[in-house]
């Protein structure tokens, strides 16, 4: 009989391909505890789940839970010589394969692990649950970092962005991933986007943790601030740090031969939309010797 424990998102037990339910939530929680912690003495389990009850009641509740587990999983649940253990099982985290660059990142990675055990009435178990969730998230982050470090030069920057964004979803204070994501945006010519992300990240660090960014992020922010013109400036750049896009628009305008040309420009705040509105209202193409005679209409 195959036994699989699902740790990511909603916690549940799968037996022979079918979902298994238990009437006693603490008995189910004991299984997950043993799966993650290994062989454990019965007294430890009793204190963890019924430490706030009297000895008689706690012992009776433990006996009921162990009876239910032996009946439900006679080939997997072991209770002998005062110790409890779970054998011949796998977890969804163990079967998770995201090492390949082509493997999709499952949405369950971003859900809270071990969901459903919040109703278990035990302060000690709640403390253990918080720690177990952190360990699972740390293991997921480690898997994603291994995948990121194994990517070769043939992988697109979009794949790297996806991984870095995933790491930031799992740990919104991950400065290393934020710096890597910023550098990718800069290489793609989206320096304003990089600067906007950096500012939001630094504000989050300061507001929620009361800490300042490290030297790598401070250096990137300083370089971007120096290179990115201020909004409303008169430096002749309509789209900050988007030289390739500007060149493409100008080339299309020059080849339009007097015909009306329609451009759809979209993006996030701070990406040059205000400057594009100036173009829509007839601002000249500064810095260009070629005449832009075509009419330009922009929808922002």
């Amino acid at each position: 009989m195959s036994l699989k424990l699902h740790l990511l998102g909603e916690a549940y037990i799968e037996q022979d391909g079918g979902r298994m339910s238990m009437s006693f939530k603490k008995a189910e929680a004991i299984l997950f505890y043993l799966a993650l912690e290994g062989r454990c003495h019965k007294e430890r389990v009793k204190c963890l789940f019924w430490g706030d009850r009297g000895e008689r009641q706690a012992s009776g509740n433990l006996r009921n839970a162990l009876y239910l587990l032996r009946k439900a999983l006679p080939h997997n649940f072991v209770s002998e010589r005062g110790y409890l253990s779970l054998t011949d099982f796998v977890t969804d985290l163990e079967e998770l394969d995201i090492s390949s660059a082509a493997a999709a990142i499952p949405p369950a990675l971003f859900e809270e692990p071990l969901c459903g055990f919040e109703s278990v009435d035990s302060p000690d178990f709640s403390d253990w649950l918080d720690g177990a969730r952190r360990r699972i998230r740390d293991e997921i982050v480690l898997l994603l970092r291994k995948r990121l470090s194994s990517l070769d030069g043939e992988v697109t920057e979009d794949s790297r962005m996806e991984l870095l964004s995933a790491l930031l979803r799992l740990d919104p204070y991950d400065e290393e991933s934020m710096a890597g994501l910023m550098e990718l945006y800069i290489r793609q010519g989206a320096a304003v986007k990089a600067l906007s992300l950096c500012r939001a990240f630094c504000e989050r660090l300061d507001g929620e943790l009361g800490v300042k960014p490290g030297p790598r992020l401070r250096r990137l922010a300083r370089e971007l601030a120096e290179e990115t013109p201020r909004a409303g400036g008169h430096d002749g750049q309509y789209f900050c740090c988007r030289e390739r896009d500007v060149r493409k628009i100008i080339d299309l305008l020059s080849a339009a031969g007097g015909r009306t040309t329609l451009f759809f420009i979209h993006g996030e705040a701070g990406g040059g939309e205000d400057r594009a509105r100036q173009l829509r209202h007839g601002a000249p193409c500064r810095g260009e010797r070629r005449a832009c005679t075509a009419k330009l209409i922009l929808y922002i």
Side-chain angles (χ1 to χ4, degrees), residues 47-66:
C47 292
L48 183 69
F49 288 92
W50 297 282
D52 56 344
R53 309 295 171 85
E55 176 64 26
R56 184 174 180 179
Q57 183 181 3
S59 297
N61 288 339
L62 178 61
R63 281 195 300 272
N64 292 336
L66 299 188

Side-chain angles (χ1 to χ4, degrees), residues 81-151:
R81 297 181 180 179
Y83 284 88
L84 308 175
S85 60
L86 189 65
T87 62
D88 300 326
F89 71 95
V90 296
T91 69
D92 57 348
L93 187 58
E94 291 172 340
E95 292 188 338
L96 185 65
D97 182 15
I98 55 173
S99 58
S100 170
I105 299 177
L109 286 188
F110 307 111
E111 298 178 19
E112 180 82 308
L114 298 173
C115 281
F117 288 123
E118 296 81 7
S119 60
V120 174
D121 182 20
S122 169
D124 290 338
F125 175 76
S126 295
D127 290 341
W128 173 83
L129 185 61
D130 290 340
R133 285 170 170 168
R134 285 194 297 271
R135 292 198 302 272
I136 291 172
R137 284 192 293 266
D138 289 344
E139 189 168 347
I140 293 171
V141 167
L142 182 60
L143 289 173
L144 290 176
R145 288 201 180 282
K146 285 182 178 179
R147 172 171 169 174
L148 184 63
S149 63
S150 66
L151 295 180

Side-chain angles (χ1 to χ4, degrees), residues 165-183:
S165 298
L167 286 166
L168 283 167
R169 286 185 63 182
L170 291 166
D171 181 4
Y173 310 111
D174 182 358
E175 189 171 326
E176 181 180 349
S177 295
M178 174 54 67
L181 190 60
M182 287 174 59
E183 289 170 346

Side-chain angles (χ1 to χ4, degrees), residues 22 27 31 42 62-80 83-84:
M22 290 189 175
L31 282 183
K42 287 196 295 187
L62 178 61
R63 281 195 300 272
N64 292 336
L66 299 188
Y67 170 78
L68 180 61
L69 291 173
R70 290 192 195 97
K71 184 178 179 180
L73 298 168
H75 303 292
N76 306 94
F77 179 71
V78 179
S79 175
E80 59 181 9
Y83 284 88
L84 308 175

Side-chain angles (χ1 to χ4, degrees), residues 255-272:
R259 298 188 303 272
T260 297
T261 304
L262 176 65
F263 291 92
F264 290 92
I265 299 177
H266 62 88
E268 297 185 5

